[in-house]
Amino acid sequence: MPSVRFRLNGAEMDVDADPDRSLLDILRGPLGMTGPHFGCGAGECGACNVIIGDRAVAACDTPLWSVADKDITTIEGLGSAGQPHPLQRAFIAEQALQCGYCAPGILMSAAALLKRNSTPSSGEVKEALDRNLCRCGSHNRMVRAVLRAAAEMESG
Ligand code: FES
Ligand code: FES
């Protein structure tokens, strides 16, 4: 079986697996990255979002073969407990999470937005998070958190 090479959180990966398996399956299985969550499994909820290039993409709906030579970032590559990303700090400061199940996907959608647009408007943040479902209804706080992180990152 041909292997698929890509970069995951800055590290080179070479994965021997059926190229039609979903990226989410590969991340959570052989690669041990359990940050991206399984929600709908159909590209509709955003719980499994990762960043490919500068776009948030549903890993459940992305075949392994399609990420050859791409740069992939998961929540594990965003920040750490000791060195949280400004988005992670802002989500805590704004108490933007309840159960947290949606959080990895939402943070990746937000991080991808800030990669492309460092000073988004509230409307642009809402649009970027539009495809991420949060059954706890935390969206308003999340939008505030993303704007807070953007302001912090802009001010250096
Ligand atoms: S689990 Fe991938 S979009 Fe819902
Ligand atoms: S915080 Fe519970 S699903 Fe979003």
Side-chain angles (χ1 to χ4, degrees):
M1 197 176 298
S3 66
V4 178
R5 297 180 68 100
F6 54 90
R7 281 165 300 285
L8 178 62
N9 299 329
E12 296 289 337
M13 295 286 149
D14 205 343
V15 175
D16 267 316
D18 178 347
D20 287 330
R21 276 173 74 181
S22 77
L23 176 61
L24 182 63
D25 192 25
I26 298 296
L27 288 171
R28 291 184 56 85
L31 299 183
M33 296 280 162
T34 56
H37 286 164
F38 183 90
C40 64
E44 308 237 325
C45 75
C48 65
N49 276 7
V50 300
I51 299 176
I52 301 180
D54 64 359
R55 296 273 161 190
V57 172
C60 72
D61 208 21
T62 300
L64 175 62
W65 62 261
S66 72
V67 302
D69 299 323
K70 301 272 174 66
D71 275 298
I72 302 173
T73 308
T74 67
I75 188 73
E76 287 87 348
L78 193 67
S80 63
Q83 281 195 306
H85 186 276
L87 277 166
Q88 292 167 313
R89 285 202 301 272
F91 269 61
I92 292 168
E94 294 288 347
Q95 299 185 25
L97 299 174
Q98 293 188 44
C99 79
Y101 196 82
C102 65
I106 291 205
L107 284 163
M108 300 320 280
S109 291
L113 170 67
L114 296 185
K115 269 184 138 186
R116 303 189 304 274
N117 176 0
S118 60
T119 56
S121 65
S122 171
E124 287 168 331
V125 174
K126 286 178 185 163
E127 192 180 329
L129 302 187
D130 191 46
R131 290 179 59 82
N132 289 87
L133 300 186
C134 173
R135 63 193 164 177
C136 299
S138 297
H139 265 115
N140 287 339
R141 289 179 181 198
M142 290 172 179
V143 171
R144 283 205 299 273
V146 177
L147 292 170
R148 180 183 185 128
E152 184 190 324
M153 289 164 77
E154 267 301 285
S155 69

